[in-house]
Amino acid sequence: MPREHAVHDEHDEHHSLPQLRHHFETEEQQREAGSFGMWLFLLTEIMFFGGMFMAYLLYRNWYYPAFAAASNQLNVPLGAINTAILITSGFFMALGVWAAEVRKKSTLVLMLVLTAVFGLAFLGVKSDEYYEKYEKHHIPGNSFNISEFVNPPINAKTGKPTEEPLMPDMAQKTQVFFFLYFAMTGMHAFHMIIGLFLLVWLIWRAQRGDFTSGYVAPIENFGLYWHFVDIVWLFLFPLLYLINRHPFK
């Protein structure tokens, strides 16, 4: 076949693949470039959250009694429920990637919908936790109340305080804990909200059959993003809720 015809045939083949952008030679090249870009993005996210983790550990070392007392105010059962919800959501996302790769359209749509439902459930539980902190005046600012840390409630059975009382100046440092708590969990929730919007878009495209013809790069890349959000929470939960909850007992 003359070279001119071969070039024209190759050119026509590229345009016959709607997902292939004009600046890529092959679909595989485009897929690898997208995956590389996603990993670079996740690397910046790791540095972003890593900075907040380092700030938390630094301030915890400086104001350890305040951080331990404030950590005891977090609701461990709700945190554990949210951990289970997020792991389940990640499981459905993994099944969604598999469904796209084996070209099962209905299964893919179902898995993406379930991923979104569990993601919404996570945000619902988290909003309930935030409201509890609002009721207790544990949101940093002018309305922050340290009385629960200076004069802890008395246990009716033992007649002793449920927590070791803090001096007022150290009790004020519990605000630092709650500031970092809202910053870290809030940014995590913000990433989940972005993910849910992307999920709606992916569900719409999956319903059209965009990802069941061999084109799975968007599903794979979103799966990386969603699993990264899962992993961040798996670090947040023990760090904020579990470590040394009752150091004085």
Side-chain angles (χ1 to χ4, degrees):
M1 178 181 295
R3 179 175 175 77
E4 290 182 358
H5 291 175
V7 171
H8 287 167
D9 290 346
E10 185 180 358
H11 182 74
D12 292 341
E13 181 182 358
H14 284 184
H15 282 279
S16 67
L17 302 173
Q19 68 272 17
L20 184 60
R21 304 303 180 188
H22 64 87
H23 44 280
F24 292 107
E25 291 292 330
T26 65
E27 188 177 354
E28 183 62 23
Q29 185 187 54
Q30 176 177 295
R31 183 175 178 175
E32 291 178 356
S35 179
F36 181 69
M38 175 55 72
W39 280 109
L40 281 181
F41 169 71
L42 294 181
L43 181 62
T44 64
E45 291 287 90
I46 290 172
M47 290 189 287
F48 175 73
F49 279 100
M52 288 197 287
F53 279 117
M54 284 302 299
Y56 176 86
L57 293 173
L58 184 63
Y59 279 105
R60 184 182 180 88
N61 185 55
W62 286 352
Y63 309 127
Y64 179 75
F67 270 55
S71 177
N72 292 341
Q73 297 297 317
L74 298 184
N75 194 320
V76 173
L78 288 182
I81 290 172
N82 253 352
T83 302
I85 289 173
L86 211 52
I87 290 174
T88 306
S89 176
F91 172 72
F92 285 128
M93 188 62 235
L95 288 180
V97 173
W98 168 80
E101 290 174 344
V102 298
R103 308 187 182 192
K104 292 182 178 292
K105 175 183 170 182
S106 58
T107 305
L108 171 61
V109 173
L110 176 62
M111 292 303 110
L112 293 179
V113 169
L114 288 173
T115 302
V117 168
F118 277 83
L120 285 171
F122 177 92
L123 292 177
V125 174
K126 179 51 66 182
S127 63
D128 186 59
E129 278 194 83
Y130 282 174
Y131 184 70
E132 182 188 30
K133 301 298 170 290
Y134 168 77
E135 287 188 315
K136 289 185 174 181
H137 296 280
H138 285 169
I139 296 177
N142 294 331
S143 63
F144 191 83
N145 189 347
I146 64 170
S147 61
E148 194 168 355
F149 302 105
V150 177
N151 299 303
I154 302 299
N155 188 311
K157 294 182 178 178
T158 63
K160 297 180 180 179
T162 54
E163 300 288 342
E164 188 73 15
L166 297 177
M167 297 298 290
D169 58 340
M170 182 55 72
Q172 286 289 353
K173 304 305 181 187
T174 56
Q175 284 201 75
V176 179
F177 171 88
F178 283 107
F179 173 81
L180 290 170
Y181 165 78
F182 282 108
M184 297 167 83
T185 60
M187 284 307 303
H188 177 263
F190 179 66
H191 279 72
M192 289 208 65
I193 291 170
I194 293 175
L196 287 172
F197 278 109
L198 291 174
L199 265 174
V200 171
W201 176 64
L202 290 174
I203 291 169
W204 173 67
R205 292 192 62 184
Q207 186 65 39
R208 293 195 317 181
D210 288 358
F211 307 125
T212 46
S213 60
Y215 177 53
V216 298
I219 299 294
E220 290 178 338
N221 288 332
F222 180 78
L224 288 174
Y225 175 84
W226 197 255
H227 293 314
F228 170 78
V229 174
D230 291 351
I231 292 171
V232 170
W233 176 257
L234 292 181
F235 280 95
L236 286 176
F237 177 57
L239 194 66
L240 295 172
Y241 290 72
L242 301 180
I243 296 178
N244 296 327
R245 281 184 58 82
H246 296 285
F248 303 105
K249 295 186 176 180

